[in-house]
Amino acid sequence: MATIPTLSYPEFDESVIHHLLARLAQLCDEDLPPELVAQLTVDEPPESAMPDCWQDTYLMVGYLRSLNQALLANMLPGKVAEDLAGLLHDMVYILRDYVREPYRTH
């Protein structure tokens, strides 16, 4: 009989992840200093890593936090948890690439 893999996180990791995502949400709301905006602003922006429908980083961080909480609950079937863990991973890297992009004045 095949076993269903489960995701488990030590309690310490859960609080660290929760703290980091909460801090990320705060940072997404703060304005950058003007000198940093000047350094990050370009005339011809490259193609964005983030789809147009996800340009609001605060909303994206909210999605990531909710997805993380669903995984931490450890109540999902194995394959679903595995797929969602992969989605969480990919979304974090997309968000990372997006916040590294030059500032866009829409």
Side-chain angles (χ1 to χ4, degrees), residues 65-80:
R65 291 174 78 179
S66 295
L67 187 52
N68 185 56
Q69 288 298 316
L71 289 167
L72 289 173
N74 210 16
M75 301 290 287
L76 301 168
K79 177 67 173 139
V80 173

Side-chain angles (χ1 to χ4, degrees), residues 26-51:
Q26 291 170 347
L27 290 172
C28 287
D29 256 355
E30 294 178 10
D31 289 333
L32 295 173
E35 63 276 4
L36 188 55
V37 171
Q39 288 178 336
L40 297 174
T41 303
V42 296
D43 293 329
E44 294 290 326
E47 191 66 30
S48 178
M50 186 75 73

Side-chain angles (χ1 to χ4, degrees), residues 22 24-26 28-29 54-65 95:
L24 182 59
Q26 291 170 347
C28 287
D29 256 355
W54 288 348
Q55 295 287 325
D56 179 3
T57 54
Y58 190 77
L59 180 63
M60 177 61 72
V61 171
Y63 290 159
L64 294 172
R65 291 174 78 179
L95 182 61

